[in-house]
Amino acid sequence: MAKKTRITIDEYYCKGCGLCIDACPKGSLAFAERLNEQGYHPVECTDQEACTGCSLCYVACPDSAITIEKE
Amino acid sequence: MENEGSLVIVTGCYGSGKTEYAVNLAAAGEPGRTMLVDLDVVNPYFRSRDLRDEFSARGIDVVAPEGSFSHADVPMLSRRVKGALRNTEKRVIIDVGGDPMGARALARFSGTIKERGYRMRLVVNTRRPQNRTVEEVLDMAARIEAASGLVIQELVANSHLMEETTREVVEEGAAVAGEAARQSGRDFFTVCVLEDLLPRLGEPRVQARIFALKKHLRKPWEPGSGKAWRI
Amino acid sequence: MGDKILMKGNEAVAEAAIRAGCRHYYAYPITPQSELIEYMARQMPLAGGTFLQAESEVAAINMVLGAAACGMRVMTSSSSPGISLKQEGISYIAACRLPAVIVNVQRGGPGLGNIAPMQADYFQATRGGGHGDYYTPVLSPSSVQEFADMAPLAFEIAEEYRTPVVIFADGMLGQMMEPVVFPDSYAPQKDPSAWALGCKREGEFCNHIINSLFIDPAVLDQKTRELFAEYDRIRQNEIRYERYNLDEQPSILVVSTGTAARVVKSAVDALAEEGIKVGLLRPITLWPFPYQAVAEAARGVKKVLTVELNMGQMEQDVRLALAGSCETAFVGKAGGLVFTPEELTEIIRGYAS
Amino acid sequence: MRIVAKRTRGLTSARLTYCPGCLHGVAHRLIGESMEELGIIERAIGIAPVGCAVFAYNFFSCDMIQVPHGRAPAVATGLRRSRPDCVVFTYQGDGDLAAIGMAETVHAANRNENITVFFINNAVYGMTGGQMAPTTLAGMKATTAPYGRDVEDTGGPTRMCELLATLEMPWFITRVSLLSPKDILKAKKAVKKAFKNNLDKKGFQFVEMISTCPTNWGMDPLRAREWAKQEMLPVFPPGVYKDRGAEQEDAS
């Protein structure tokens, strides 16, 4: 069974630039429909199960909005 | 006595009073037969060239950068220096810039100077920093010799605090210069005192004769400075 | 008190600064202040301090900004054109509320001018100098001793009000030699650890930020007002001047500072012997200017003369002080020419008759 | 669950002011993380430049000072000589460092001043609205080069690493890219190495980071990255241009 990981994107910081979506090898990140308080479509994780915790999204994020936890 | 030697080089620590001494030597020289060579390339103010007009009127030739360049702050030497050094018809007094740095300007002429023969004097003012003890004076002498390629034969004591000079200051300077001369086998040549101060100082107890200096280089607010002060 | 020794103004102010605890000095050579940087080059390492010849005056003043931000007693020096280049940094240092000392050994201007003494940077020094709404205290010496004494004084003022302080000398004061004595002790530095960068702090970590950027106009307005409140305090506490021959009612009042005031004193003395009473008021702080002292000294005189080594700059402050209450005239020389006492005596005598 | 990656303590909690997708934020994170990992947040002093990063004093959690345009290496000189036990870094853009601050940069490098210079190169003045920078590419348009940069008239793109590497004294000079996660991981190593060298008092550390300016280039962040990979990296090739530490190891 794959290790459980959790990815959290802090909407306070996210500017919806999409660099993390591009970085994710599993395609498990996507823009949300809604707007955040800054007026951007924040990114959310659409598939926590697929996430391997590789952290490339974290590496690409210019706003340090992402936290990654592993079991 | 002060007029011994046909080529006298005056060196010393920065601010020792070399220029005033050199100017006094020149002023005491025979009109028409005396040249004062200003080799000071480090000091921008209070240079012997400031007296050129006054001296030339008295038949004393001041060799220094000419015209407007005499107020420049570039290390400039008059093209007449070499000719002056070779002119044995005249007694030549060289006013050198202070410290080993100023003495460097001599090095390029050292060949001509040695050919002619010279006496180099070190002016000592023990009220200047870095010139206060026998050791410091001898160190300064050694460094000036190294920079100029010439030898200092004579020491001149010129300890002073301008108008605030006391007898103790004069005696202290003479003692240090005398001891430095003794230790280094040089001649303790003379002790300078401002002429105006002589009455007040009485007769300082010193081991050399006293040379009364006239004040030629005045600050602009000192009466009589008008003609001399050019910059 | 130590021994009396003979020093150039440039050397004396450097020595005094080191004795007063200045351990950081950054500068760039220029005549007629080069003895100052050379003295520092020689002595600062021996005192265990930092000496660095910067690549430009612009770099030098910014090195000063760095050291001042760390709360160090730091000094720089230059002469007129170099001080112009330093104005960028001085404005930042003033805005960041940092103590620092800047020595200007003025030369002839404008442009490259010449190396002779002038007081042509008066406007620059007393009106802030760089961009923005600020002032710096300006101390104007007129002897080598006073020049030396101003180094510790400048540091004390700089630290008390957290401001850059300018020592406003000229080539004559820098180059001439006079006897000087240094005091045995100096006021200790004010503790900068509440605001300085890189201070080891106890307890919870809180970083220090030094900044002069205030994007919000209301905040910048507030910051500027804080600066000017401090200037009010400086005006209250730091105005300095000398009154010379002013005890008996003079017929003429001369206002003059620095080297020019030295010549004025010779003229005042000469005229006193002739029975002509002339008084001198010599501002020692040029900012804040002793407006009130000038106005008081001018009471009952026939005329107020301002004597400067420029074409008339301090004269404007004198007229502000008098506010039209007294006739004034300006006597000046440009080009680095200095009045002779005889010449000035004659001019003043002309106004007295 | 244990945290494997989260916002570094080297950054404050303030939201960055940069445009979406601007790689300044990545550079900030690398610096903040390196400070945290080396345990130097409490003894680092950072210099905010003039440029888009002018507000950097709000973003790094160490002591910070904001300084005049181009003068950061001079201020850093004063800082580091006052606080020899602190780690002093500057954060500068191409206009700041390679135009107005060229003299300060070159001389600080030549003195091997013990500071770390982070040089963000995005070939354009960002803050003032897209004017030509010393690093603007040949033919590239800018608001002050509306017909494209004519190198015959305004000179070619300034290669700072190559230029500084001709000096004998500077310790470590490298160019990295922030244009992909892989490049960013490499860049992190360079940032950390530069800080480590400063801690060891080795001298001048220069880390140039090839970055983007999506807003002034008129591209979305992804396209900007691709454009930079194609156009900038051939002109500004990443690599180590000087490493006196490695030279010494080789020699021994």
Side-chain angles (χ1 to χ4, degrees), chain C:
Chain C
M1 290 283 175
D3 263 1
K4 216 176 242 188
I5 52 173
L6 196 62
M7 288 183 109
K8 280 195 170 201
N10 282 336
E11 301 170 326
V13 74
E15 176 65 26
I18 292 173
R19 285 172 185 246
C22 171
R23 290 293 177 275
H24 295 262
Y25 173 88
Y26 302 94
Y28 186 81
I30 181 172
T31 315
Q33 69 85 50
S34 288
E35 294 82 5
L36 210 171
I37 180 172
E38 285 163 3
Y39 195 91
M40 287 296 197
R42 204 166 54 233
Q43 297 302 119
M44 196 53 110
L46 302 180
T50 298
F51 165 85
L52 185 65
Q53 178 174 329
E55 59 270 28
S56 67
E57 286 92 345
V58 175
I61 193 69
N62 281 286
M63 292 171 185
V64 169
L65 169 60
C70 293
M72 300 295 151
R73 278 200 162 164
V74 58
M75 182 164 116
T76 186
S77 62
S78 188
S79 179
S80 310
I83 295 291
S84 293
L85 286 171
K86 287 189 168 69
Q87 293 303 338
E88 171 194 73
I90 296 173
S91 170
Y92 274 73
I93 294 169
C96 292
R97 305 273 325 267
L98 299 173
V101 174
I102 300 120
V103 179
N104 182 2
V105 182
Q106 292 168 91
R107 52 186 275 164
L112 198 50
N114 62 23
I115 60 168
M118 268 195 93
Q119 300 175 323
D121 305 346
Y122 182 91
F123 284 151
Q124 184 192 57
T126 58
R127 269 62 181 167
H131 62 283
D133 217 353
Y134 75 97
Y135 293 100
T136 62
V138 180
L139 302 171
S140 169
S142 84
S143 68
V144 171
Q145 181 70 57
E146 199 178 17
F147 196 4
D149 292 343
M150 275 174 183
L153 176 64
F155 281 115
E156 283 166 40
I157 295 175
E159 285 157 18
E160 174 62 30
Y161 306 95
R162 287 179 57 189
T163 175
V165 173
V166 171
I167 300 180
F168 186 82
D170 62 52
M172 181 55 65
L173 288 156
Q175 290 298 324
M176 71 178 181
M177 293 219 185
E178 282 186 326
V180 57
V181 178
F182 298 100
D184 294 327
S185 65
Y186 293 85
Q189 190 185 357
K190 266 189 105 169
D191 178 15
S193 61
W195 52 265
L197 302 181
C199 288
K200 298 271 178 297
R201 286 174 295 272
E202 297 287 319
E204 200 179 334
F205 179 76
C206 154
N207 63 333
H208 285 174
I209 295 173
I210 289 178
N211 175 36
S212 63
L213 177 70
F214 305 105
I215 287 290
D216 181 343
V219 175
L220 182 55
D221 175 83
Q222 178 54 32
K223 290 284 174 190
T224 310
R225 282 174 197 284
E226 285 168 20
L227 206 55
F228 275 69
E230 214 52 9
Y231 294 156
D232 281 343
R233 221 157 63 81
I234 296 173
R235 284 191 190 97
Q236 258 163 36
N237 303 332
E238 305 298 342
I239 290 177
R240 289 171 170 80
Y241 52 88
E242 182 196 356
R243 287 165 55 91
Y244 188 76
N245 209 32
L246 274 169
D247 291 340
E248 285 178 58
Q249 177 66 53
S251 63
I252 299 278
L253 170 69
V254 181
V255 184
S256 186
T257 195
T259 290
R262 287 291 282 269
V263 190
V264 172
K265 276 188 186 175
S266 298
V268 166
D269 293 346
L271 289 162
E273 281 182 23
E274 297 175 20
I276 301 172
K277 278 188 200 139
V278 177
L280 165 69
L281 191 126
R282 175 172 73 91
I284 294 173
T285 49
L286 303 184
W287 190 91
F289 188 81
Y291 290 110
Q292 205 183 329
V294 168
E296 278 166 17
R299 256 178 230 144
V301 306
K302 237 169 77 177
K303 196 148 209 163
V304 178
L305 299 184
T306 306
V307 177
E308 294 179 79
L309 301 179
N310 59 41
M311 295 301 282
Q313 299 190 23
M314 186 171 72
E315 188 223 2
Q316 295 193 2
D317 276 327
V318 171
R319 283 200 271 165
L320 278 175
L322 299 174
S325 66
C326 186
E327 264 189 67
T328 66
F330 170 71
V331 180
K333 276 201 179 194
L337 295 169
V338 182
F339 293 99
T340 65
E342 294 81 4
E343 180 176 25
L344 201 55
T345 304
E346 202 178 312
I347 294 171
I348 300 173
R349 195 191 291 117
Y351 284 104
S353 57

Side-chain angles (χ1 to χ4, degrees), chain D residues 15-126:
Chain D
R15 202 146 53 188
L16 301 180
T17 43
Y18 307 109
C19 306
C22 171
L23 300 180
H24 265 312
V26 173
H28 279 32
R29 177 177 64 77
L30 299 183
I31 293 167
E33 273 181 4
S34 299
M35 287 198 292
E36 183 179 6
E37 288 163 20
L38 292 167
I40 57 168
I41 300 173
E42 281 77 9
R43 57 196 279 204
I45 306 176
I47 299 183
V50 171
C52 285
V54 68
F55 300 112
Y57 53 85
N58 285 327
F59 306 144
F60 292 109
S61 54
C62 55
D63 276 6
M64 291 294 295
I65 177 169
Q66 194 286 313
V67 306
H69 200 201
R71 314 301 174 218
V75 177
T77 298
L79 292 171
R80 86 98 180 156
R81 285 173 187 246
S82 299
R83 300 274 184 224
D85 291 329
C86 289
V87 174
V88 174
F89 71 91
T90 77
Y91 186 97
Q92 301 173 264
D94 33 37
D96 186 270
L97 181 135
I100 192 168
M102 177 66 101
E104 284 81 357
T105 305
V106 171
H107 286 279
N110 194 43
R111 289 192 300 265
N112 199 31
E113 207 68 60
N114 193 43
I115 59 173
T116 300
V117 172
F118 296 112
F119 170 38
I120 312 300
N121 179 1
N122 63 4
V124 77
Y125 281 67

Side-chain angles (χ1 to χ4, degrees), chain B residues 38 49 52 63-67 69-71 74 76-79:
Chain B
D38 180 351
R49 67 191 68 167
R52 185 188 344 240
V63 176
E66 275 87 25
F69 293 116
S70 71
H71 304 303
V74 289
M76 194 182 280
L77 297 172
S78 166
R79 56 202 148 80

